Amino acid sequence: MLYIVLAIIGGFLTILSMVVNAGLGKEIGVFRGTFINYVVGLSLILIMVLMLGSFLDIKTLASIPFYAFLGGALGVIIVASSNVIIPKIPAIYTVLLNFIGQIVAGIIIDYIRFDFISKGKIIGGILVILGILYNSMIDKKQLRDGNNA
Amino acid sequence: MYKLYAILIGVLITIMVTFNGVLESHIGNFLAVLVIHIVGLSSISLILLLRQERPTIKKGIPLYLYTGGAIGILLVLVNNICFSNLGASLTLSLGVFGQLLLSSIIDHFGLMGMKAYKFQLKKLIGFSIILVGLIIMTIY
């Protein structure tokens, strides 16, 4: 249950960071804004790690598969490409399309990692997509009516 | 075509969460976030260099605009913890639910300088369908 609440809070944080990053991007440019974010983020986590007194040792690092280090680079690619694409498609589709990609990849990755395709995840995923679609349509109608009024 | 890219970004998000989760399982959550930010900072520095943009700090803009990095850290910590315990698909689905929930609240009250759009009760139907989907994903 704790993890379920945490994962929902993760969604809150995603929206917060999108709003704040968009605001900073408007002021100084998206890429400069992203740079600042990483400088701030790196400084904070560095302080936290130093306070906790944990250290990276080379032996452990060497035992980690190389791809595991690419997440940080992917994060930057996601921010950069989102900034190109999001203005080009209606905002209400962004969450939906992103989610379709996420859930399909998520099911495939869970299958690769646990060697198990879960019918529940597929059925549940389709329901989540339908729910988002339904609400997107209501949002779209509201926007259209709002513009006409 | 751009819609296809939006789906592709979703795929990238899942791959990123997975990679970060694997890193976390090797060196622990805090060190993983450290490594993720070192790699991320190097990547964005490279992009700035290629675009020949200089990093700037602008005076007189609201201080909270600089908190994105702190939010980012919390987000990666939370995602990594949930990924190891819930798996990729459930973590991401619950995250989307949280996103929709907070966006509805922001829209309804017009928070953070956004235009207010009153919450429509009809959207409870969509939220219920999503919830049922999430419950099925969780109990299976």
Side-chain angles (χ1 to χ4, degrees), chain A residues 31 76-77 80, chain B residues 42-53:
Chain A
F31 293 99
V76 171
I77 293 173
Chain B
S42 317
S43 314
I44 187 65
S45 306
L46 191 70
I47 292 179
L48 281 187
L49 215 69
L50 290 174
R51 292 171 57 94
Q52 301 187 322
E53 282 183 47

Side-chain angles (χ1 to χ4, degrees), chain A residues 26-44:
Chain A
K26 228 184 258 167
E27 294 284 348
I28 61 173
V30 171
F31 293 99
R32 289 191 182 111
T34 307
F35 179 82
I36 301 272
N37 279 340
Y38 274 91
V39 172
V40 173
L42 183 58
S43 319
L44 288 176

Side-chain angles (χ1 to χ4, degrees), chain A residues 5-16:
Chain A
V5 175
L6 258 187
I8 295 175
I9 292 175
F12 289 4
L13 292 170
T14 308
I15 294 287
L16 280 182

Side-chain angles (χ1 to χ4, degrees), chain B:
Chain B
M1 194 59 199
Y2 284 110
K3 290 185 177 168
L4 192 67
Y5 285 132
I7 294 178
L8 200 66
I9 290 178
V11 173
L12 285 182
I13 291 174
T14 302
I15 297 175
M16 174 188 72
V17 172
T18 306
F19 286 2
N20 290 349
V22 172
L23 188 64
E24 188 256 345
S25 69
H26 279 88
I27 55 177
N29 211 347
F30 288 92
L31 286 175
V33 176
L34 179 70
V35 171
I36 290 162
H37 276 76
I38 292 173
V39 175
L41 183 60
S42 317
S43 314
I44 187 65
S45 306
L46 191 70
I47 292 179
L48 281 187
L49 215 69
L50 290 174
R51 292 171 57 94
Q52 301 187 322
E53 282 183 47
R54 268 170 209 283
T56 34
I57 291 184
K58 202 168 158 188
K59 280 185 189 143
I61 62 177
L63 201 63
Y64 79 86
L65 288 182
Y66 291 109
T67 57
I71 301 172
I73 286 191
L74 275 178
L75 179 58
V76 185
L77 284 173
V78 164
N79 268 340
N80 286 350
I81 294 171
C82 294
F83 176 83
S84 0
N85 291 285
L86 302 173
S89 19
L90 192 54
T91 301
L92 294 163
S93 306
L94 289 166
V96 167
F97 181 69
Q99 287 183 37
L100 295 172
L101 202 61
L102 186 62
S103 345
S104 297
I105 296 171
I106 292 176
D107 280 348
H108 182 74
F109 295 104
L111 303 176
M112 304 205 261
M114 310 290 248
K115 204 173 155 213
Y117 291 100
K118 288 269 162 289
F119 184 81
Q120 304 206 16
L121 286 177
K122 267 189 283 178
K123 279 171 81 173
L124 286 179
I125 299 175
F127 274 114
S128 313
I129 300 172
I130 296 170
L131 261 179
V132 172
L134 289 173
I135 292 169
I136 293 177
M137 289 179 92
T138 315
I139 55 175
Y140 249 88

